[in-house]
Amino acid sequence: MRNLKSIALALVALATFTVSAQTKKINVSKSTINWVGKKVTGEHSGTINFKEGNLVFNKGLVKAGTFTVDMTSINTTDLKGEWKDKLDGHLKADDFFGVEKFKTATLVFKNISTKNKNNYTVTADLTIKGITKPVTFDLVVNGNTASANVKIDRTKYDIKYGSGSFFSDLGDKTINDEFELKVNLAW
Protein backbone atom coordinates (compact mmCIF):
# COMPACT_ATOMS: atom_id res chain seq x y z
CA MET A 1 0.00 0.00 0.00
CA ARG A 2 2.83 2.38 0.88
CA ASN A 3 4.41 1.82 -2.57
CA LEU A 4 1.13 2.63 -4.32
CA LYS A 5 0.87 5.88 -2.37
CA SER A 6 4.48 6.80 -3.32
CA ILE A 7 3.79 6.03 -6.98
CA ALA A 8 0.59 8.08 -6.90
CA LEU A 9 2.41 11.06 -5.35
CA ALA A 10 5.18 10.81 -7.97
CA LEU A 11 2.59 10.78 -10.77
CA VAL A 12 0.84 13.84 -9.31
CA ALA A 13 4.19 15.67 -9.08
CA LEU A 14 5.01 14.74 -12.69
CA ALA A 15 1.57 15.86 -13.87
CA THR A 16 1.96 19.15 -12.00
CA PHE A 17 5.38 19.73 -13.61
CA THR A 18 4.03 18.87 -17.06
CA VAL A 19 1.01 21.18 -16.71
CA SER A 20 2.95 24.17 -15.37
CA ALA A 21 6.05 23.71 -17.57
CA GLN A 22 6.40 26.05 -20.54
CA THR A 23 8.58 25.28 -23.52
CA LYS A 24 10.10 28.36 -25.16
CA LYS A 25 11.22 27.61 -28.71
CA ILE A 26 14.14 29.82 -29.72
CA ASN A 27 13.88 32.15 -32.68
CA VAL A 28 16.80 30.83 -34.75
CA SER A 29 17.06 34.01 -36.85
CA LYS A 30 17.43 36.19 -33.73
CA SER A 31 19.56 33.79 -31.67
CA THR A 32 23.33 33.93 -32.23
CA ILE A 33 26.49 31.97 -31.61
CA ASN A 34 29.77 33.86 -31.96
CA TRP A 35 33.00 31.86 -31.75
CA VAL A 36 36.63 32.77 -31.08
CA GLY A 37 39.55 30.43 -31.68
CA LYS A 38 42.97 31.53 -30.50
CA LYS A 39 46.47 30.63 -31.59
CA VAL A 40 49.98 31.75 -30.63
CA THR A 41 50.02 34.48 -33.29
CA GLY A 42 46.47 35.80 -32.82
CA GLU A 43 42.89 34.68 -33.11
CA HIS A 44 40.02 34.19 -35.53
CA SER A 45 36.32 34.79 -34.94
CA GLY A 46 33.05 34.02 -36.60
CA THR A 47 29.51 32.78 -36.31
CA ILE A 48 27.57 29.56 -36.48
CA ASN A 49 23.78 29.17 -36.69
CA PHE A 50 21.21 27.34 -34.65
CA LYS A 51 19.04 24.84 -36.43
CA GLU A 52 16.56 24.62 -33.53
CA GLY A 53 16.34 24.76 -29.79
CA ASN A 54 14.21 25.33 -26.73
CA LEU A 55 14.29 26.06 -23.04
CA VAL A 56 11.77 24.57 -20.63
CA PHE A 57 10.62 26.70 -17.70
CA ASN A 58 8.64 25.61 -14.64
CA LYS A 59 7.36 28.29 -12.25
CA GLY A 60 9.62 30.80 -14.02
CA LEU A 61 12.81 28.74 -13.57
CA VAL A 62 14.83 27.00 -16.29
CA LYS A 63 14.38 23.25 -15.95
CA ALA A 64 15.64 21.89 -19.31
CA GLY A 65 17.15 22.88 -22.62
CA THR A 66 17.90 21.20 -25.95
CA PHE A 67 19.68 22.79 -28.92
CA THR A 68 20.85 21.74 -32.37
CA VAL A 69 23.51 23.71 -34.24
CA ASP A 70 23.97 23.70 -38.02
CA MET A 71 27.70 22.92 -38.32
CA THR A 72 27.62 23.58 -42.08
CA SER A 73 26.99 27.27 -41.27
CA ILE A 74 30.47 27.88 -39.78
CA ASN A 75 31.45 31.34 -40.95
CA THR A 76 34.65 33.30 -40.34
CA THR A 77 33.96 37.02 -39.83
CA ASP A 78 37.45 38.45 -39.25
CA LEU A 79 38.79 37.56 -42.73
CA LYS A 80 37.71 38.31 -46.28
CA GLY A 81 38.22 36.82 -49.71
CA GLU A 82 40.60 33.94 -50.29
CA TRP A 83 41.81 33.71 -46.66
CA LYS A 84 38.24 33.59 -45.35
CA ASP A 85 37.33 30.87 -47.86
CA LYS A 86 40.41 28.84 -46.90
CA LEU A 87 39.71 29.04 -43.16
CA ASP A 88 35.98 28.30 -43.58
CA GLY A 89 36.88 25.28 -45.72
CA HIS A 90 39.46 24.03 -43.24
CA LEU A 91 37.08 24.40 -40.27
CA LYS A 92 34.47 22.37 -42.19
CA ALA A 93 37.02 19.68 -43.17
CA ASP A 94 37.78 16.50 -41.24
CA ASP A 95 40.79 18.18 -39.52
CA PHE A 96 38.26 20.19 -37.55
CA PHE A 97 34.47 19.64 -37.55
CA GLY A 98 33.99 17.23 -40.48
CA VAL A 99 30.67 18.83 -41.42
CA GLU A 100 30.08 16.64 -44.46
CA LYS A 101 29.60 13.67 -42.11
CA PHE A 102 28.60 15.56 -38.93
CA LYS A 103 26.16 18.24 -40.10
CA THR A 104 24.89 19.10 -36.62
CA ALA A 105 26.09 19.39 -33.05
CA THR A 106 23.74 19.12 -30.07
CA LEU A 107 23.58 20.40 -26.53
CA VAL A 108 21.23 18.84 -23.95
CA PHE A 109 20.96 20.22 -20.41
CA LYS A 110 21.52 17.50 -17.82
CA ASN A 111 21.85 19.38 -14.52
CA ILE A 112 20.71 22.91 -13.71
CA SER A 113 21.66 24.64 -10.50
CA THR A 114 19.75 27.85 -9.71
CA LYS A 115 21.96 30.68 -8.42
CA ASN A 116 18.95 33.00 -8.30
CA LYS A 117 15.81 33.48 -10.41
CA ASN A 118 17.73 34.57 -13.52
CA ASN A 119 21.16 32.95 -13.11
CA TYR A 120 21.97 29.27 -13.46
CA THR A 121 24.94 26.94 -13.64
CA VAL A 122 24.25 24.34 -16.32
CA THR A 123 25.99 21.06 -17.00
CA ALA A 124 25.04 19.75 -20.42
CA ASP A 125 25.97 16.97 -22.81
CA LEU A 126 27.63 18.48 -25.89
CA THR A 127 27.92 16.27 -28.97
CA ILE A 128 30.39 17.26 -31.68
CA LYS A 129 31.55 14.84 -34.41
CA GLY A 130 29.45 12.10 -32.79
CA ILE A 131 31.37 12.41 -29.48
CA THR A 132 29.43 13.42 -26.35
CA LYS A 133 31.17 15.08 -23.40
CA PRO A 134 29.88 17.23 -20.51
CA VAL A 135 30.37 21.01 -20.48
CA THR A 136 29.52 23.41 -17.65
CA PHE A 137 28.64 27.08 -18.05
CA ASP A 138 26.58 29.88 -16.54
CA LEU A 139 23.28 30.85 -18.16
CA VAL A 140 21.66 34.25 -17.57
CA VAL A 141 17.97 34.73 -18.45
CA ASN A 142 16.61 38.24 -19.01
CA GLY A 143 12.97 38.44 -20.12
CA ASN A 144 12.67 36.70 -23.51
CA THR A 145 16.43 36.27 -23.91
CA ALA A 146 19.24 34.26 -22.39
CA SER A 147 23.00 34.34 -22.73
CA ALA A 148 25.97 32.13 -21.95
CA ASN A 149 29.71 32.08 -22.49
CA VAL A 150 30.98 28.55 -23.07
CA LYS A 151 34.57 27.32 -23.31
CA ILE A 152 35.04 24.05 -25.15
CA ASP A 153 38.15 21.87 -25.28
CA ARG A 154 38.13 20.78 -28.92
CA THR A 155 40.55 17.89 -28.30
CA LYS A 156 37.83 16.06 -26.33
CA TYR A 157 35.94 15.83 -29.65
CA ASP A 158 38.90 14.44 -31.61
CA ILE A 159 39.81 17.84 -33.07
CA LYS A 160 43.57 17.76 -32.60
CA TYR A 161 44.85 19.75 -35.58
CA GLY A 162 47.55 22.19 -34.45
CA SER A 163 47.20 21.22 -30.77
CA GLY A 164 50.33 21.62 -28.67
CA SER A 165 48.91 18.92 -26.39
CA PHE A 166 49.33 16.33 -29.15
CA PHE A 167 52.05 17.64 -31.46
CA SER A 168 55.49 19.00 -30.61
CA ASP A 169 57.54 21.55 -32.54
CA LEU A 170 54.48 23.48 -33.77
CA GLY A 171 55.99 26.76 -32.61
CA ASP A 172 53.88 29.74 -33.68
CA LYS A 173 51.53 27.39 -35.58
CA THR A 174 50.08 26.11 -32.27
CA ILE A 175 46.30 26.54 -31.92
CA ASN A 176 44.74 26.69 -28.43
CA ASP A 177 42.81 23.59 -27.41
CA GLU A 178 39.91 25.67 -26.10
CA PHE A 179 37.62 27.78 -28.21
CA GLU A 180 35.02 30.17 -26.87
CA LEU A 181 31.34 30.57 -27.71
CA LYS A 182 29.25 33.60 -26.85
CA VAL A 183 25.63 32.45 -27.12
CA ASN A 184 22.59 34.72 -27.19
CA LEU A 185 19.13 33.15 -27.26
CA ALA A 186 15.87 34.89 -28.12
CA TRP A 187 12.32 33.49 -28.14
Side-chain angles (χ1 to χ4, degrees):
M1 193 60 133
R2 180 178 272 175
N3 283 343
L4 286 176
K5 185 175 181 180
S6 296
I7 292 170
L9 288 173
L11 288 173
V12 168
L14 179 61
T16 302
F17 175 80
T18 304
V19 169
S20 61
Q22 288 184 299
T23 299
K24 303 285 187 174
K25 186 175 178 177
I26 66 167
N27 181 329
V28 294
S29 64
K30 291 183 179 178
S31 298
T32 59
I33 304 171
N34 292 291
W35 59 264
V36 174
K38 297 180 180 180
K39 56 185 181 173
V40 171
T41 58
E43 65 182 44
H44 290 294
S45 58
T47 61
I48 189 164
N49 299 329
F50 283 103
K51 187 172 182 179
E52 61 187 3
N54 64 63
L55 286 173
V56 177
F57 292 84
N58 188 19
K59 297 181 182 174
L61 300 175
V62 174
K63 294 298 180 182
T66 306
F67 304 91
T68 302
V69 174
D70 177 3
M71 296 304 290
T72 66
S73 71
I74 294 172
N75 178 45
T76 305
T77 57
D78 68 309
L79 298 172
K80 294 183 191 264
E82 178 184 351
W83 290 106
K84 174 191 171 9
D85 294 342
K86 283 183 178 184
L87 184 53
D88 285 351
H90 197 196
L91 291 172
K92 292 177 182 179
D94 290 339
D95 279 346
F96 282 94
F97 296 102
V99 302
E100 188 173 312
K101 183 175 180 185
F102 302 101
K103 295 187 184 325
T104 61
T106 59
L107 182 78
V108 179
F109 291 9
K110 291 297 182 182
N111 186 29
I112 303 164
S113 200
T114 305
K115 291 180 169 186
N116 62 48
K117 183 175 165 82
N118 298 318
N119 295 291
Y120 306 86
T121 298
V122 176
T123 300
D125 281 347
L126 175 63
T127 303
I128 298 174
K129 292 181 77 172
I131 300 168
T132 303
K133 298 288 180 182
V135 293
T136 300
F137 55 91
D138 288 339
L139 177 74
V140 178
V141 177
N142 186 9
N144 290 332
T145 65
S147 61
N149 293 317
V150 185
K151 290 187 178 187
I152 299 168
D153 181 345
R154 64 188 174 94
T155 63
K156 291 181 178 181
Y157 302 92
D158 197 32
I159 305 169
K160 298 175 184 169
Y161 181 87
S163 169
S165 299
F166 291 89
F167 303 100
S168 58
D169 300 327
L170 291 172
D172 65 1
K173 304 280 188 216
T174 303
I175 301 169
N176 291 11
D177 289 347
E178 281 190 339
F179 64 93
E180 301 168 17
L181 300 177
K182 183 175 181 172
V183 180
N184 290 297
L185 305 172
W187 53 90

